[in-house]
Amino acid sequence: DAGITQSPRYKITETGRQVTLMCHQTWSHSYMFWYRQDLGHGLRLIYYSAAADITDKGEVPDGYVVSRSKTENFPLTLESATRSQTSVYFCASSLAAGGPKTQYFGPGTRLLVL
Amino acid sequence: AQTVTQSQPEMSVQEAETVTLSCTYDTSESDYYLFWYKQPPSRQMILVIRQEAYKQQNATENRFSVNFQKAAKSFSLKISDSQLGDAAMYFCASQKGAGSYQLTFGKGTKLSVIP
């Protein structure tokens, strides 16, 4: 039972480069989310997806692009990385059925933009 | 919009003692859920406990329990018989009952457990 995985776990890149962070879940959860965690801000939602081919912006979407061609994958792309995008990125997924939609998180990707 | 406030950036507790972490929230929704997540040094986000707003009974999970005061919009976490493994960042989060189901997080409380 792999659950939810993220790759790479650590990434160093340079300003202006394109970077893609991968997220894969094996639960067939409908919903998937990308958050970033910065000191003093907690976790903030970047983008989310309700199903394959359905995505929407969260609180801090600028500079990021997402896609979801398959239910199990939800990649996050930084089209032209900036230093302000240095952060820890978490992917999460949840069921869409009734009750609290508990989100299960991946292990995170630490991104450093030089 | 939902907001979540954790007013205690850091707290400490003696091993085997009890500690309470505070959380207040603001929402205009009638249907919502509340969560506490734990983030140990490994940075993995781990669900501790959750509460449906329509339930009056406070949720409990082993040594963890909440004090849910709906009118006051308060959702505190009580950890009993604290253990060294409880040392972590604790995040309070709210979730709308419909729509995007996104989580809105507080800024966290760092809990230290003193042996």
Side-chain angles (χ1 to χ4, degrees):
Chain A
D1 184 4
I4 184 165
T5 57
Q6 293 182 234
S7 62
R9 293 292 312 279
Y10 304 90
K11 177 73 177 179
I12 300 174
T13 191
E14 295 178 336
T15 303
R17 293 196 179 249
Q18 183 178 80
V19 177
T20 295
L21 309 183
M22 303 301 293
C23 179
H24 176 79
Q25 52 105 354
T26 60
W27 294 310
S28 299
H29 284 173
S30 300
Y31 278 81
M32 295 187 75
F33 307 82
W34 274 107
Y35 294 88
R36 60 177 289 173
Q37 182 177 26
D38 305 291
L39 197 62
H41 286 281
L43 280 79
R44 294 179 292 174
L45 182 69
I46 304 171
Y47 270 95
Y48 70 95
S49 169
D53 297 322
I54 301 175
T55 63
D56 207 346
K57 296 178 180 179
E59 182 184 353
V60 289
D62 293 344
Y64 303 95
V65 174
V66 293
S67 63
R68 195 163 176 212
S69 57
K70 293 184 178 181
T71 300
E72 61 267 29
N73 296 324
F74 190 40
L76 175 74
T77 298
L78 289 66
E79 292 190 303
S80 178
T82 65
R83 290 197 180 91
S84 65
Q85 292 177 309
T86 291
S87 187
V88 181
Y89 291 85
F90 287 96
C91 179
S93 70
S94 71
L95 287 169
K101 312 297 185 290
T102 300
Q103 292 185 18
Y104 298 93
F105 285 79
T109 295
R110 300 190 75 167
L111 176 66
L112 174 62
V113 183
L114 300 175
Chain B
Q2 299 189 317
T3 60
V4 177
T5 302
Q6 294 178 250
S7 59
Q8 306 152 316
E10 296 188 27
M11 290 197 71
S12 62
V13 62
Q14 290 285 145
E15 194 175 4
E17 296 295 309
T18 296
V19 64
T20 299
L21 308 185
S22 300
C23 173
T24 58
Y25 62 93
D26 193 16
T27 181
S28 57
E29 305 290 325
S30 58
D31 182 20
Y32 59 93
Y33 307 104
L34 298 165
F35 302 82
W36 278 99
Y37 278 89
K38 169 185 177 181
Q39 187 179 44
S42 67
R43 287 191 172 268
Q44 179 73 49
M45 294 289 287
I46 302 166
L47 176 69
V48 175
I49 200 166
R50 64 188 183 191
Q51 173 83 40
E52 292 92 326
Y54 62 85
K55 288 187 176 179
Q56 292 187 338
Q57 186 173 7
N58 290 324
T60 62
E61 287 288 344
N62 300 313
R63 297 183 295 106
F64 298 87
S65 61
V66 297
N67 183 5
F68 176 44
Q69 301 289 328
K70 191 172 184 177
K73 295 184 177 177
S74 171
F75 183 61
S76 60
L77 174 69
K78 185 171 83 171
I79 306 173
S80 303
D81 185 26
S82 297
Q83 300 175 0
L84 295 177
D86 294 334
M89 284 289 289
Y90 286 83
F91 291 95
C92 179
S94 67
Q95 181 185 63
K96 294 180 184 179
S100 70
Y101 306 122
Q102 70 180 76
L103 290 170
T104 299
F105 286 89
K107 294 183 179 181
T109 296
K110 183 178 181 181
L111 178 67
S112 300
V113 180
I114 303 165

